[in-house]
Each structure stands twice: as structure tokens, then as C-alpha cells.
Amino acid sequence: MRKGKRACKWVRADVSSLTEISRFVQDWLSQREGYRESRKERYLVELAVIEACTNIIRYAYPPSSAGQIGICLKEEGRRIEILLLDQGIPFDPAGTRPPDLHESKEGGYGIFLVRKIMDSVTYRRRGGRWNCLRLVRECVRGGDGEQVGEGLEGLRRRIVSGEEEVR
Amino acid sequence: MDIQVDEQGGVTILACEGRMDAQVSDLVKDRIRELLDNGATRLVVDMEGLDFLDSSGLGALVSCLRRVKEKKGEIKLAGLRPEVRSIFEITRVSRLFHICETVPDAVKAFAKKE
């Protein structure tokens, strides 16, 4: 892995790759200003990437296929951008319905969490075979005890208080 | 992920360490199902050693809670790190579980219900 602002990695689209993906994302984030000081911020981005990759592993490729996932991490100023690439079945998360949080569902939280954590989630189909999922997180920066932006805690407070409409 | 099982005063304690994600969510369900089949109905999941939890792990816990409730039992959660706890709250799964600060708190809470 490069120690610079960009890093890319290809992994097998299999649940056994999830730990490797997490380590890759954590290592890169631990070199980024704002994230290196905050375990919570690193955790959130790791969670968003793992949720998106798990979705690709489960639904994009047939079981036991030799599919791959490309993970590209990029820092531009105070924002981080994550690009996930695969050649599986097209899937646009914008078309998914959020879970009904009033029901005790066992699943359906993955894409919901990705959208809540990241500031922007966009999907493009390129070249007729590439699925490109772009996740952007703007400048929520600060240490564990001194969060500059709203962060997860603020979001949690607004959801619990009912101020935040669950999309 | 590593799961150590212990018992304190009729309460079964599962100490989870490592990652609870799609790779191990079925193992968690199987382990708890096995305990239920052996008669355990009062369970505490000790999450202090859990480094990572995603929606697959969350779903596994909800699934286990359903099974335990079918047997008139309960699962309490203890030792959640702040970031892990936030996921429960964002998804509102927190309202399904009794979440305690520590394992002794959870064991005491079971004792109070007797």
C-alpha cells in the first residue's frame, strides 16, 4: 500500500477478504489528518466500506465466482473519496428502500448505514461492465473527544430525538 | 472472532472478541442456537472485546434475540464501545435489547427480575 494520499487494492469478492479490506482502510485512514486521532471516525469509514463491499460480495457475483473488488482511497484537501469497483450485476443503491426502523428487522441496514455515514453515495455503470460506487465523506474531523463536525453522535442525537427523518 | 462461554448464577455469558461481520455472523447464530438447545434462556453478550460490528453482526444478534424470546428468555448486551453502541442507536436496534454498561450489571439485572 502506498503511504501517499491515494491507495488502491484489489481483493477477491469473498467474505474472507473483509478483514483484509478493513486493515487496508484502517491503515490508510491512520495516516490521514483528523482520522488518525479519532478511532470513531476511522471506525465509521471502515464500516461504510465494509457494508458496501459485503453488498457486492453477496449480490454482485454468483456464489464461488472468481469476482474481484477494487478499492481506491483518495484524499483531496479535507475530504476523502472511496471508489469501489466490480464487474458483477449492476446495482444502484439509490434504488433501495430504507429499512423500516420501527420493525425489528434482521437485515437491510447495510446501504442505510453507508448513506448515513457518508455525505455522498453515487453509482455509475461504466464501459458496460464496471460498477463504480463512489463514497465521499466531507470534513468531519477531530479527535475522539473533540469532534469538529456533527459526526455520528450528533446524527444519533437527531435520530433519537426525531429531528432527523429516516430516509 | 472468538467466543468464550461462561456461566454466572444461571446466566450464560458469551464473551465476544474480534470482529462480528458477514464472515462470522452465521457462527454467532449457530453458537447461540446451540446454547438455547442446551437449555440456556438468560444470556449476556459481552461485547467489550469486540473490535468491529457491522450490519451482518447486528442482524445475527436480532435473529438470536427472536429465538431466545420464543423460549421466553432474554439476551442482554454489555460492554459496548461508543462507536458500536452508536450503530445500535442509528438503526434503532437499541430499543430491542437491554443494553448494560458492564457484564456484572447485566447479571444483576437478570437477578432483579427473578
Side-chain angles (χ1 to χ4, degrees):
Chain A
M1 189 189 75
R2 290 171 55 185
K3 287 193 175 180
K5 292 186 174 183
R6 283 169 179 259
C8 292
K9 188 180 187 71
W10 286 90
V11 297
R12 192 166 162 250
D14 188 272
V15 289
S16 63
S17 301
L18 292 175
T19 307
E20 186 183 355
I21 296 167
S22 274
R23 197 175 301 127
F24 173 64
V25 173
Q26 281 280 349
D27 284 351
W28 185 78
L29 287 172
S30 65
Q31 296 161 31
R32 310 272 79 80
E33 187 185 341
Y35 290 92
R36 85 167 68 91
E37 301 88 354
S38 171
R39 189 167 72 180
K40 188 182 279 185
E41 289 295 304
R42 291 197 304 275
Y43 185 93
L44 290 177
V45 176
E46 176 190 354
L47 177 64
V49 174
I50 290 298
E51 294 293 354
C53 287
T54 301
N55 226 50
I56 293 169
I57 291 164
R58 281 187 172 152
Y59 306 116
Y61 294 111
S64 69
S65 75
Q68 296 243 308
I69 305 173
I71 305 147
C72 299
L73 311 172
K74 186 168 77 172
E75 182 184 39
E76 278 185 1
R78 294 172 66 82
R79 70 165 17 200
I80 57 166
E81 184 180 317
I82 297 152
L83 188 64
L84 301 177
L85 303 165
D86 71 78
Q87 295 184 80
I89 298 163
F91 171 71
D92 185 352
T96 60
R97 292 178 59 187
D100 182 347
L101 301 186
H102 299 287
E103 293 178 18
S104 55
K105 293 262 185 185
E106 290 176 31
Y109 299 115
I111 295 299
F112 170 76
L113 282 167
V114 176
R115 282 180 174 155
K116 285 292 175 192
I117 293 166
M118 305 305 287
D119 294 308
S120 159
V121 178
T122 50
Y123 167 83
R124 294 277 184 280
R125 180 82 170 169
R126 294 190 188 276
R129 64 189 180 119
W130 287 101
N131 297 311
C132 309
L133 189 66
R134 185 168 162 269
L135 315 178
V136 175
R137 187 159 167 85
E138 302 289 351
C139 53
V140 179
R141 301 286 167 108
D144 282 325
E146 189 189 346
Q147 195 130 338
V148 175
E150 174 192 64
L152 187 63
E153 195 54 33
L155 176 63
R156 183 191 67 77
R157 275 197 301 272
R158 288 198 291 120
I159 288 173
V160 170
S161 69
E163 289 172 44
E164 170 78 8
E165 186 184 351
V166 177
R167 284 176 283 141
Chain B
M1 194 185 71
D2 187 36
I3 303 177
Q4 296 288 331
V5 180
D6 192 14
E7 198 188 303
Q8 283 180 31
V11 178
T12 305
I13 298 159
L14 290 92
C16 300
E17 284 195 8
R19 300 170 57 85
M20 199 185 286
D21 60 14
Q23 202 174 351
V24 297
S25 55
D26 284 343
L27 294 175
V28 174
K29 285 196 255 188
D30 289 347
R31 192 76 184 93
I32 292 182
R33 189 179 301 144
E34 192 183 305
L35 290 166
L36 288 174
D37 289 345
N38 289 328
T41 53
R42 304 197 302 174
L43 293 99
V44 174
V45 180
D46 177 5
M47 300 173 81
E48 197 176 350
L50 209 62
D51 300 323
F52 184 82
L53 175 88
D54 70 357
S55 67
S56 301
L58 198 72
L61 291 172
V62 173
S63 168
C64 293
L65 182 68
R66 279 195 179 153
R67 284 181 171 274
V68 173
K69 292 224 175 207
E70 280 168 13
K71 301 218 172 194
K72 310 287 180 207
E74 197 182 346
I75 297 180
K76 296 184 192 297
L77 308 177
L80 280 72
R81 294 182 182 182
E83 55 269 31
V84 170
R85 189 171 181 132
S86 295
I87 295 164
F88 277 84
E89 289 170 349
I90 285 177
T91 55
R92 298 191 184 172
V93 169
S94 52
R95 70 194 158 77
L96 305 178
F97 288 93
H98 183 186
I99 299 177
C100 302
E101 285 296 314
T102 65
V103 171
D105 287 349
V107 173
K108 272 185 211 163
F110 271 119
K112 277 182 190 169
K113 283 187 86 177
E114 280 178 352

